[in-house]
Amino acid sequence: MIRLAVRGGQKNGERFSLAQDTVRIGRQPENDVVLPDGIVSSEHLHIVWSTEGFLAIDRNSTNGTRILRAGTTIALDESNGRRAPLFNGDVLELGAEGRGVFLEVRLGEDSVDATIFAVKKIEDVAPNAERSMERDAPRLKALYEAQKRVGSVTELPDLFGALADASLALVPQATHVTLVIREEESDDERARARGYVPVLTRSRAATGPLPGPIPITRSIFRKVVDERAMVLAADAPTEVGSSESLMGAKIRSTLGVPLWRGEEILGVIQLDHRESAGMFTAADLDVMALFANAASLSLANARLLRKLRAAEERARKENVFLKGKEQERRTGARGDKTPNIIGDSAAMAKLLAQLDKVVDTKVTVLVEGETGVGKELVSASVHYRSRRRDKLFVGQNCAAMPENLLESELFGHKKGAFTGAHEDKRGLFEIADGGTLFLDEVTEMPLSLQSKLLRVLQEGEIRPVGSVHEKKVDVRIVAATNRNLEKEVAEGRFREDLYYRLKVFPLRVPPLRERREDVPLIAKHFLERFSAEMGKPCEGFAAETLDLLQTYAWPGNVRELQNEVQRLVIQVDIGAFITPDLLSPRVRQVEGTLERIKPAKGTLKEQMDQVERWLLIEALREHGNNKTATAKTLGITREGLHKKLRQFGL
C-alpha cells in the first residue's frame, strides 16, 4: 500500500491510498494521483515497486523532482538517471525548489517475512517433477494440452490469457490466478524503471478477466524473484499471518511460479486458494514446474517477436521517411516520382531519350560529364525511373575516404576484422540490395578495390572485410566520373577489364555552355527554391540579367549557376527585380557583349553573317588561333572551320 498526503498546491490536505505497484503522478487526468498545479508536469513522477523496494522515477519533468530525507535533499536528475530509492517517511517535492507541491510518503511494506511451506529452485524442480508426474496420466494429458495451446500463441495479450487459463486447468484447487510481468526495456532506460506489473487476474468462478488484479503477495513474490524459486505457502493466514497483503486478500494458500529467461525473471504466476481452508499439494507444484518451462519460453518468444515487429516497423517508417526526404531533395518543386532534371534543349532531350532506354535493364551505367553538370541527378533518375524505385538509392563518393575505410564502407566488415571494428557492419552493397548503388568519382577508387568491384559486377557477390564467406547481392551499379576513362586506363590508373564492365551504357551529361537555352529555366527554378527557403519573394530576373546569365560560359556548370542564384537572392530586396548590377563580376564581364556583336542593319543574311564572323573571331582568340580546338568548341570539323574562314576572308 502506498499512502500519499499532499502538502501545498491546489489539493493541499488531500490523501491518497493506492494498492498497486506503479503509481503515476502528474497534472493529466490519466494519472493515478492528479495534481492540477501548473508547476507539475503532465506525467511528472512514477513510484514503482520492484524487488529492490520502491523507486521514485522522474519522468523528464520540466521543473524537476526532489526527495527530502532527514535534512538532506536528493535531486532526481541526470546524475542518478532521474531515479532514487524511496523509503517510508520521505517527502517528495514536485516542481521548482522551495515552491513545489509536497507529498508525504507512507509505504505499507510487509512487516514480517512470510513463513514459507516449500521453496524449490528452478534448476532443481524440473527433474524431480518429471519423475513424479510419470504416474499421473490425466495431468500429463492436461499438461500436454496446456503446453500445446501456449506454444501456439504469439501475441502477448492472448498469451497472458492462455497462461492464466492453463494454470487454472492444471491446478484444480486454485480459485484465482494473477499474472505479474516485468516491464520490457525501453529506448531510454534512464527514463523509467523496469518494474513488475500485474497484468491479468482470472477467477475460476467468473468468465473473463476481473476488473482489476488481486494484490500480489509481496513477501512471497520477492522470494520467488530473489531466489529464482517456486514458493508454496500453505494455509496462508496461519503461516503468513503477519503479512498485510495476505491477510487483506484472505488467501488460504498461495503458490508463486517464476517465468524466466536465462538469469532474468520475466514474471510470476501467482495461484491463490481463497474459498475454504486447504492447501496446494506437491503434485500442484510439480505440474506447474513443468508448465513453467514451456510458459517461460513462450513468453520470451512473444516478447522477442513483438520487439522484432516493432523494430521492423520502425525501420520501415525510417526507410520511407529517408527515401521521401531524399526523393524530395532530388525532385524539388515538382514533387513527382522522378528527379527534377530541368531542360528543354536538344542536348537534354537526347540525354533523356537515352536514359529512358536503359532504366529498366540490368546493365551498369556510366555517367560522364564535367564537374557540376548534375551527374548525381542523372544517376538518381536511372534509379527512380526504373522498377527498382521502391528500393534504396545509396551514394558514395569514392574520393571522400581513404582506401581502408572505403572498403569497409562498401563491403562491410566483421567484428574484430581490424582495430576499432567492435561490431559487425553492413556495407553499402548490402544496404542497397535490390536497389541502386551510385559510385561517384569512380576513377578515384584504388586499384585493389577496383578488383573487388569487378567481382561484384561479374559474380554478384561481396565479401565483408574479415569474413570468409560471400554474400549474394542484387545491386544496380551507376558510376560517374569527370575524367577521361580511356586516358586513365592508358596511364595505368584504372583497370581495363573494369572499364569495359562499367562503360556498357555511357551517358554523357552536356555542360551548360552546350545548352544555353536551358539557363533561364534552371535559374528560375533555383530562384523559386531559394526565395522560398529564405522567405524573400522577389519579382524575378530583369531581361538584361537573363541575357547575361545565358551569355556567360559557366565553367562550373549547374553548380556554379546554383551558387550564383543563391547569392543573388541574398542580395536582392524583397519584392524587387534582380538587375545586372547584382551579378558577380565574373558573370558581368560579358556585359556589353551583345552590344559589340549587334550587327549593322541589313538583310537577315547580312546580319547573320556579321554575327557568325564575330563568333569565329572570338573563338579563335579564346583558343590562341588553335583551329582544332576552335572547331571542337564550335561543334564543327576542322575542314568546316577552314571553309568558314575562307568565306569570311579570315
Side-chain angles (χ1 to χ4, degrees):
M1 184 69 69
I2 300 173
R3 298 181 177 87
L4 303 171
V6 184
R7 298 289 180 262
Q10 298 181 35
K11 290 200 172 183
N12 182 37
E14 289 199 24
R15 296 176 179 273
F16 298 88
S17 296
L18 304 111
Q20 56 200 71
D21 296 301
T22 299
V23 174
R24 299 171 299 166
I25 304 170
R27 197 173 65 249
Q28 291 296 327
E30 293 80 13
N31 291 288
D32 303 305
V33 176
V34 179
L35 301 175
D37 305 87
I39 202 167
V40 177
S41 295
S42 299
E43 189 178 357
H44 194 109
L45 179 74
H46 282 188
I47 298 176
V48 177
W49 183 80
S50 68
T51 55
E52 294 79 22
F54 284 95
L55 290 174
I57 304 119
D58 183 89
R59 297 289 291 171
N60 294 308
S61 64
T62 303
N63 296 304
T65 305
R66 287 156 297 285
I67 299 175
L68 310 181
R69 179 185 303 151
T72 62
T73 300
I74 303 169
L76 305 185
D77 53 25
E78 297 301 327
S79 65
N80 51 27
R82 294 186 173 272
R83 67 181 66 186
L86 193 63
F87 299 107
N88 200 26
D90 285 348
V91 176
L92 291 164
E93 183 182 17
L94 283 63
E97 188 170 3
R99 297 185 290 110
V101 178
F102 296 87
L103 296 175
E104 295 178 355
V105 180
R106 291 290 182 269
L107 303 175
E109 288 277 20
D110 295 338
S111 57
V112 182
D113 287 341
T115 304
I116 306 300
F117 181 79
V119 177
K120 292 188 177 181
K121 299 281 188 181
I122 291 173
E123 54 270 20
D124 299 333
V125 72
N128 295 329
E130 289 174 2
R131 287 191 293 272
S132 64
M133 289 291 296
E134 288 176 354
R135 297 181 297 274
D136 195 342
R139 269 203 168 170
L140 279 176
K141 183 178 179 181
L143 178 62
Y144 169 75
E145 294 295 333
Q147 290 177 332
K148 185 171 68 171
R149 179 181 176 187
V150 168
S152 65
V153 180
T154 57
E155 300 295 334
L156 274 177
D158 297 335
L159 179 62
F160 294 155
L163 290 175
D165 292 341
S167 298
L168 289 174
L170 292 172
V171 184
Q173 290 195 80
T175 60
H176 297 78
V177 59
T178 298
L179 193 61
V180 185
I181 299 298
R182 189 173 193 183
E183 294 177 297
E184 295 185 69
E185 295 179 3
S186 65
D187 292 335
D188 184 6
E189 276 298 287
R190 297 170 68 88
R192 68 177 180 89
R194 295 177 61 205
Y196 289 89
V197 180
V199 296
L200 181 70
T201 292
R202 286 272 169 89
S203 169
R204 188 180 298 279
T207 57
L210 297 179
I214 295 174
I216 61 173
T217 309
R218 291 203 179 110
S219 54
I220 296 174
F221 177 85
R222 182 177 290 123
K223 202 167 191 68
V224 171
V225 175
D226 288 348
E227 298 189 18
R228 294 170 45 80
M230 299 185 65
V231 177
L232 172 62
D235 195 13
T238 300
E239 297 291 336
V240 203
S242 59
S243 174
E244 181 181 329
S245 55
L246 280 172
M247 290 296 291
K250 297 181 180 178
I251 299 173
R252 295 293 175 178
S253 59
T254 190
L255 173 62
V257 181
L259 302 172
W260 69 93
R261 180 188 59 193
E263 295 299 314
E264 181 186 9
I265 299 297
L266 301 178
V268 173
I269 299 175
Q270 175 181 293
L271 291 162
D272 298 322
H273 176 43
R274 288 169 160 243
E275 293 181 350
S276 60
M279 60 178 288
F280 295 122
T281 65
D284 297 327
L285 190 149
D286 289 339
V287 74
M288 288 303 298
L290 295 176
F291 176 65
N293 279 286
S296 299
L297 181 61
S298 295
L299 178 58
N301 288 343
R303 293 177 71 166
L304 178 60
L305 182 60
R306 186 163 75 170
K307 285 183 180 180
L308 290 174
R309 285 174 177 167
E312 184 181 45
E313 179 64 14
R314 192 161 54 245
R316 187 191 67 79
K317 289 180 178 178
E318 289 174 357
N319 189 15
V320 170
F321 173 77
L322 292 174
K323 284 174 65 179
K325 295 297 289 185
E326 174 67 9
Q327 191 164 294
E328 180 183 335
R329 182 179 74 84
R330 296 180 187 281
T331 58
R334 297 188 330 182
D336 57 15
K337 294 293 185 182
T338 55
N340 194 8
I341 298 178
I342 300 173
D344 294 332
S345 62
M348 290 306 295
K350 180 180 178 182
L351 172 64
L352 293 175
Q354 287 182 295
L355 192 149
D356 287 336
K357 292 177 181 178
V358 76
V359 289
D360 280 325
T361 66
K362 291 185 177 181
V363 301
T364 302
V365 176
L366 179 66
V367 182
E368 299 175 301
E370 298 176 5
T371 298
V373 294
K375 297 187 293 295
E376 183 177 357
L377 200 63
V378 173
S379 301
S381 292
V382 175
H383 174 79
Y384 287 111
R385 290 170 183 251
S386 73
R387 288 188 290 267
R388 294 175 178 257
R389 67 177 67 90
D390 293 329
K391 300 295 185 178
L392 285 178
F393 175 80
V394 182
Q396 175 62 47
N397 189 324
C398 298
M401 286 187 174
E403 178 178 349
N404 57 334
L405 292 181
L406 181 60
E407 181 179 8
S408 172
E409 192 71 15
L410 292 176
F411 301 98
H413 64 248
K414 301 295 289 183
K415 180 179 178 180
F418 50 84
T419 303
H422 301 301
E423 57 185 15
D424 290 355
K425 176 183 176 180
R426 297 170 67 207
L428 294 183
F429 275 103
E430 192 173 353
I431 292 173
D433 192 17
T436 303
L437 178 60
F438 170 57
L439 298 176
D440 197 9
E441 306 299 344
V442 69
T443 51
E444 301 297 327
M445 182 179 288
L447 286 169
S448 58
L449 287 188
Q450 290 179 24
S451 61
K452 289 195 171 186
L453 175 59
L454 181 64
R455 176 174 177 79
V456 178
L457 293 172
Q458 290 175 334
E459 308 295 337
E461 294 179 343
I462 61 168
R463 180 184 290 181
V465 179
S467 175
V468 295
H469 302 291
E470 284 79 17
K471 293 182 179 181
K472 281 284 186 181
V473 291
D474 174 22
V475 179
R476 175 79 169 288
I477 301 294
V478 179
T481 181
N482 60 0
R483 295 190 181 184
N484 186 314
L485 266 182
E486 289 86 350
K487 182 179 179 182
E488 295 295 309
V489 170
E491 295 180 1
R493 291 190 294 268
F494 202 80
R495 292 179 62 106
E496 186 175 9
D497 47 5
L498 179 58
Y499 163 75
Y500 290 117
R501 275 284 181 177
L502 288 178
K503 204 164 183 177
V504 176
F505 196 94
L507 291 174
R508 177 182 178 271
V509 185
L512 205 51
R513 63 181 176 274
E514 293 183 11
R515 53 184 187 112
R516 294 178 187 270
E517 57 268 46
D518 291 334
V519 171
L521 293 174
I522 300 172
K524 289 175 182 177
H525 163 75
F526 287 134
L527 178 62
E528 292 174 2
R529 171 181 160 186
F530 292 126
S531 294
E533 287 180 3
M534 300 181 194
K536 290 185 68 175
C538 61
E539 289 296 324
F541 294 101
E544 297 87 347
T545 306
L546 282 178
D547 288 340
L548 291 173
L549 291 175
Q550 198 166 1
T551 307
Y552 181 60
W554 299 108
N557 293 294
V558 178
R559 186 179 296 126
E560 184 183 3
L561 176 57
Q562 176 182 347
N563 294 338
E564 178 70 16
V565 175
Q566 187 176 27
R567 194 188 62 80
L568 290 171
V569 174
I570 294 172
Q571 285 189 298
V572 71
D573 294 329
I574 294 177
F577 280 95
I578 296 178
T579 53
D581 60 291
L582 298 177
L583 292 169
S584 302
R586 67 180 184 279
V587 180
R588 252 194 351 261
Q589 71 183 1
V590 300
E591 195 171 3
T593 300
L594 297 179
E595 287 297 322
R596 291 198 303 273
I597 67 172
K598 185 177 181 180
K601 290 184 178 180
T603 65
L604 177 62
K605 184 178 185 310
E606 290 172 343
Q607 293 185 69
M608 292 298 295
D609 286 346
Q610 292 178 58
V611 172
E612 190 173 359
R613 187 176 190 277
W614 185 89
L615 290 173
L616 287 169
I617 293 172
E618 284 296 304
L620 285 167
R621 182 181 60 78
E622 287 179 7
H623 293 287
N625 286 324
N626 185 318
K627 294 183 175 60
T628 301
T630 301
K632 185 176 180 181
T633 298
L634 294 174
I636 59 178
T637 63
R638 182 180 173 89
E639 292 73 16
L641 176 62
H642 280 293
K643 182 178 179 181
K644 292 283 186 183
L645 294 177
R646 287 194 298 271
Q647 177 184 339
F648 294 113
L650 297 173

